[in-house]
Amino acid sequence: MNPPTGRPVEVELKFRVVDLAAAERYLVAEEIGSFSGGSAARATQLEDRYVDTASGALTRAGFAVRIRQSGRETLVSVKSLARTNGPGGAARREELEGPADRTSGPLEWPASDARSLVLELAGDAPLVELVTIRQLRRKRIVRDGDTRVELSLDEVDVVARSRVVHRFVELEAELVKGDEERLTGLAEVFAADPALAPERGSKLDAALAAIGTTGGARDRTALMERVEARVSSPDVHSEPTRAPETVVAQPSAEHVETVPSSSDTLDEAAEEAIAPDPHLVVGKSPGVTADDHVAEAARKVMRFHLARMLAREAGVRSGHDLEDVHAMRVATRRQRAAWRVFGAAFRPGRTKRYRTGLREIAARLGAVRDLDVLIEAADHYRADMPTTEQRGLEPLLADWRTHRDDARVLLVRELDSDGFRRWVDDYRDFVRTEGAAVLPVGPVQPHRIRDTTASRVWTAYEQVRGYESVLRWADVETLHELRIAGKWLRYTLEFVREALGPDAAPLIGRVTALQDHLGLMNDADVAASMARTFLVEHAGDLSPIESGAIGRYLVNRERDVAKLRRTVGPAWRGVAGIGFRRTLGRVVSGL
């Protein structure tokens, strides 16, 4: 019986698996209590992203929202956090489900009750990825008369910062049709099995516990406060060359925002475990104020991100975690952006070597990271495909891995060089020495953040708005240039975020949404181009199966490019709309 809301109800038994080999017998057993099962178990790979707004609106309303990718199908599920007990200790909770799309926000999803509830609860706030769960699910249907139950054995990986931080296995029995009371018999069988232990919490609770929160109401609130605080930090967001996995809420034409995925926002424990550079003491943010001299504001930003860059060096050398390369590259990009935004405040001749050194190490990091992104996206594409199709793509991926390994050798060689060490020592001294290499200014020459930010922000915004007249017909190259213009607007706002006040964060979110959308398009375009080049250069070496598989991947990437190009409108309107301009004017006028 459904609750008064009339929403569908999920009824399931959950057990934590202590002995996997023993639990696997339920996938083949002909009888389990009063249930019988004649169908063979089917395996599938699932990737679940749990999302909420930065303020925790969905959690406060009593719901968890999951975006599930299974092969080429994407579904959104909205489940109530409140549970009631059913027969045999089964958990009962409301659940709505509907189709979704991994490259667009809820406004672009097909109509469903789940979509409507997400938009109702989230309003115009973006969706933040809280945690990612990947699982190998083996499932079968078992029957007792007219009652059908889906039995699934789930091998679960909790993923943060592109690495598995926790693993566990669960056995679930979900009522598909029939009498709930029949679950009592299954519950008795499972409860008597020493290979199983009753599980009262959800997979989301277990995942949140793995990244540092228990999943209870108080800790969920604390989690959301951490997300919101990190979203307000200038460097929390990844560069747009992330694999295409960010969830973007797009509830209205003029309110399009995005925020970083959990791999960039939630793993504080992992970040705090990274040894800081003892010579660079920085806070939780650069700490730029309205009264800072432009050069000293720049120095704060550079010092902050240099510390983060050096903290990742050991991990980049070891190569154990791909996220170290990503984070170190992000830090170098932030510093290069700071030079572009604030560089005119310094003597160019005395600071050229710092900019040159950043460009060189960024190029080495980028060569590795770009290939990591391509390989990760291709692995995701082929995850649920037949074995023959997966093997057909292997020559392309093997070629990319070889190039990635070669690029990594050059990167480590650069880090080991005496020139890099001398550059680091010199640059570290520069970012710690107030007044170093600063151009002198006259007594009435604008030189503070409050004096100069308005013109800098509006100039960057004008560069973005200039694309409005060509957007409908813009090709991929032109849209890539728009992405770069958006990047500089975003950085210009991010570096002085604290001086601008809290209303700057939504503006940055909307610019980032546009940048992310175009970044996904660029990633797909690069993958298509490289696959096409590989097919041409290795035509005589590939079997028909390999050529066909790589060709289909090429077509898939080209379709994604076309789709992302066609759907850029909502993200664009979030930046070009009157609401954005009014808020930007109000924020800048407060300096």
Side-chain angles (χ1 to χ4, degrees), residues 108-137:
E108 306 300 322
W109 297 345
S112 70
D113 290 340
R115 169 185 176 269
S116 297
L117 185 56
V118 170
L119 292 175
E120 176 186 338
L121 299 176
D124 64 354
L127 298 183
V128 181
E129 183 181 315
L130 300 179
V131 69
T132 295
I133 292 176
R134 294 173 183 159
Q135 51 187 320
L136 171 64
R137 166 164 288 183

Side-chain angles (χ1 to χ4, degrees), residues 458-511:
W458 284 115
T459 297
Y461 185 60
E462 288 168 4
Q463 295 299 314
V464 173
R465 283 293 302 276
Y467 287 84
E468 189 166 37
S469 61
V470 302
L471 191 69
R472 290 185 62 186
W473 303 277
D475 56 15
V476 173
E477 290 74 17
T478 302
L479 291 174
H480 178 63
E481 293 171 1
L482 170 59
R483 173 185 167 225
I484 294 172
K487 181 190 302 184
W488 295 119
L489 173 59
R490 170 186 160 196
Y491 290 156
T492 303
L493 293 169
E494 278 188 348
F495 292 152
V496 295
R497 181 198 303 253
E498 290 165 291
L500 291 174
D503 287 343
L507 297 175
I508 295 169
R510 296 179 192 180
V511 178

Side-chain angles (χ1 to χ4, degrees), residues 377-568:
D379 280 335
H380 187 274
Y381 162 82
R382 67 173 184 165
D384 290 332
M385 290 185 168
T387 303
T388 302
E389 190 77 0
Q390 292 192 27
R391 290 175 179 169
L393 283 170
E394 190 55 34
L396 176 65
L397 291 179
D399 182 71
W400 287 355
R401 292 189 198 103
T402 298
H403 286 299
R404 191 265 314 276
D405 292 343
D406 291 343
R408 175 171 164 71
V409 169
L410 295 176
L411 170 59
V412 174
R413 186 178 300 168
E414 176 70 19
L415 295 176
D416 287 339
S417 69
D418 291 339
F420 178 74
R421 293 264 59 90
R422 287 193 299 269
W423 174 82
V424 167
D425 292 340
D426 194 14
Y427 188 34
R428 185 193 290 117
D429 289 341
F430 168 76
V431 300
R432 294 169 59 201
T433 306
E434 186 173 345
V438 176
L439 280 172
V441 296
V444 296
Q445 183 177 345
H447 62 277
R448 298 177 301 174
I449 288 297
R450 69 167 71 253
D451 304 328
T452 60
T453 293
S455 60
R456 189 177 291 116
V457 166
W458 284 115
T459 297
Y461 185 60
E462 288 168 4
Q463 295 299 314
V464 173
R465 283 293 302 276
Y467 287 84
E468 189 166 37
S469 61
V470 302
L471 191 69
R472 290 185 62 186
W473 303 277
D475 56 15
V476 173
E477 290 74 17
T478 302
L479 291 174
H480 178 63
E481 293 171 1
L482 170 59
R483 173 185 167 225
I484 294 172
K487 181 190 302 184
W488 295 119
L489 173 59
R490 170 186 160 196
Y491 290 156
T492 303
L493 293 169
E494 278 188 348
F495 292 152
V496 295
R497 181 198 303 253
E498 290 165 291
L500 291 174
D503 287 343
L507 297 175
I508 295 169
R510 296 179 192 180
V511 178
T512 306
L514 175 63
Q515 187 184 346
D516 273 355
H517 188 100
L518 297 174
L520 296 180
M521 185 187 68
N522 181 69
D523 289 345
D525 185 58
V526 169
S529 177
M530 293 184 67
R532 186 182 300 107
T533 299
F534 183 85
L535 283 171
V536 171
E537 293 180 349
H538 298 83
D541 306 325
L542 300 173
S543 70
I545 292 176
E546 292 168 339
S547 295
I550 297 171
R552 284 185 287 275
Y553 178 64
L554 164 61
V555 171
N556 175 270
R557 296 290 81 200
E558 289 178 331
R559 287 174 178 168
D560 271 2
V561 171
K563 179 179 180 180
L564 289 161
R565 181 184 173 194
R566 186 175 62 251
T567 58
V568 71

Side-chain angles (χ1 to χ4, degrees), residues 307-331:
R308 295 197 162 205
M309 170 186 143
L310 296 178
R312 293 288 183 167
E313 184 181 338
V316 169
R317 290 174 180 277
S318 71
H320 295 318
D321 186 355
L322 301 181
E323 184 62 22
D324 287 317
V325 173
H326 175 216
M328 190 172 183
R329 186 195 193 191
V330 168

